[in-house]
Amino acid sequence: MASLQPFNVSVPDEHLDRLSQKLANTTPPDELDEAGWDYGAPLADIKRLIKYWKEDYSWRKAEAKINELPNYTTPIEVDGFGTLDIHFVHQTSPIAGAIPLLFVHGCVLTRTGPGSFLEVTKILPLLTSSTTPSFHVIAPSLPNFGFSSPVRKRGFSLPQYAETCHKLMLALGYSQYVTQGGDWGSHITRIMTLLYPSHIAAAHINLIIGHAPTLMANPVLYLQHNLSPSTERERAGAARSAWFLTEGSGYKEIQATKPQTRLQVDGRRGPDVGVNVLSFHGGPCSVFAHLLRSRQG
């Protein structure tokens, strides 16, 4: 068994005071007339969220809620990148023979905001309940996310994320396990099934990226695809996906091509750091919220 350390979130008061000062001293930017959401989050919405953040939101309440979870950290050595301190939630089931489940969070956005281990919290009681099947749930903060170590060297990509997660499961004594991945986590867990097939009994993902079949690669599917009429819902979904690729994925292009620039724009030491982060995530969050509402409707 690995060297596990119980982990409690405890942000120093001076950090919260500094954030409060930054929010109070924020100078709102200008915006184009009648731009709506076409160019990003509208100024009125950002001002509303800033007001809520300053006056109503309590980090200490959120912190206490996080600390109700069984949080741990453990060192994981990643080939070529040294030892990383990995944070994770480890909720065990009371059922004998429960299945170890690695739950890998997304990257930028979920229904509730930036991806993190918190994605698992609402379903933890269901996954670990006394009914069957029941699971021992391991939900890590990926390197560079949440409370896990940042990576200081270039080249840390999907295989290294997969290695980190696999070694975490082995460190906890789980040589056989199943996986769940959403968003970025779906890419990581799919790579894991290729790299560690003898260890992963089953894999589930909730992000599937598909492309229309081509004539040369899949002639039969190509003909079926082009000769079968699409439903109204399918046409609407295809149109929405096309819109997202051209209009709603700017955040992804920035993070994929110039992530360091984004850190500089966020202004780690600038007076508007909190608002910059809020604005950056505000636009994409609205896009995903709209997609969710459209699916439910």
Side-chain angles (χ1 to χ4, degrees):
M1 183 68 71
S3 174
L4 307 183
Q5 295 294 326
F7 178 79
N8 254 16
V9 182
S10 182
V11 176
D13 287 335
E14 56 265 30
H15 290 189
L16 300 180
D17 292 341
R18 188 160 62 246
L19 175 60
S20 296
Q21 293 171 6
K22 290 178 177 180
L23 293 175
N25 295 328
T26 294
T27 302
D30 199 357
E31 66 177 349
L32 296 175
D33 295 337
E34 301 179 358
W37 285 91
D38 291 343
Y39 293 94
L43 183 58
D45 287 84
I46 295 302
K47 287 181 176 179
R48 173 178 55 82
L49 291 172
I50 293 172
K51 184 176 185 297
Y52 169 77
W53 200 354
K54 289 193 299 185
E55 299 176 5
D56 299 315
Y57 179 77
S58 170
W59 167 252
R60 290 304 182 200
K61 288 183 180 179
E63 190 177 71
K65 197 70 176 175
I66 293 173
N67 286 333
E68 292 176 2
L69 300 169
N71 292 282
Y72 300 90
T73 61
T74 193
I76 299 293
E77 185 172 351
V78 182
D79 293 344
F81 291 87
T83 300
L84 303 177
D85 199 30
I86 300 300
H87 160 263
F88 60 99
V89 168
H90 187 194
Q91 180 71 65
T92 58
S93 167
I95 299 297
I99 303 167
L101 167 62
L102 172 69
F103 185 101
V104 185
H105 64 76
C107 178
V108 182
L109 299 163
T110 65
R111 179 180 179 182
T112 54
S116 76
F117 70 97
L118 293 176
E119 294 172 21
V120 78
T121 53
K122 289 185 178 181
I123 59 174
L124 264 181
L126 300 174
L127 293 172
T128 59
S129 68
S130 56
T131 58
T132 56
S134 189
F135 301 89
H136 302 310
V137 178
I138 300 88
S141 293
L142 292 169
N144 297 316
F145 291 80
F147 304 111
S148 288
S149 295
V151 179
R152 301 298 185 186
K153 293 176 62 177
R154 297 176 63 164
F156 197 96
S157 190
L158 285 173
Q160 287 72 38
Y161 282 109
E163 179 187 346
T164 303
C165 292
H166 177 59
K167 286 184 173 179
L168 172 62
M169 296 300 284
L170 296 182
L172 295 173
Y174 300 128
S175 61
Q176 296 284 320
Y177 56 93
V178 299
T179 64
Q180 150 61 27
D183 188 70
W184 188 232
S186 72
H187 297 284
I188 294 170
T189 54
R190 290 174 73 180
I191 290 292
M192 291 180 71
T193 62
L194 297 176
L195 296 177
Y196 313 107
S198 62
H199 294 273
I200 299 176
H204 180 272
I205 58 174
N206 58 292
L207 173 67
I208 300 175
I209 300 176
H211 302 280
T214 63
L215 178 60
M216 297 302 294
N218 302 100
V220 175
L221 291 179
Y222 173 82
L223 291 174
Q224 290 177 344
H225 175 73
N226 285 276
L227 295 176
S228 301
S230 300
T231 66
E232 182 178 347
R233 182 176 182 182
E234 288 171 340
R235 289 192 296 271
R240 184 66 180 180
S241 295
W243 174 90
F244 174 76
L245 291 175
T246 57
E247 299 289 340
S249 59
Y251 74 92
K252 179 172 66 71
E253 297 303 321
I254 293 173
Q255 294 193 164
T257 59
K258 296 293 183 287
Q260 191 66 41
T261 298
R262 188 209 151 187
L263 291 178
Q264 294 163 355
V265 171
D266 282 351
R268 289 277 172 118
R269 296 179 178 83
D272 299 330
V273 54
V275 175
N276 287 344
V277 175
L278 172 65
S279 300
F280 182 83
H281 289 295
C285 279
S286 73
V287 172
F288 281 81
H290 177 81
L291 287 173
L292 181 65
R293 288 193 297 269
S294 65
R295 289 175 182 174
Q296 292 174 337

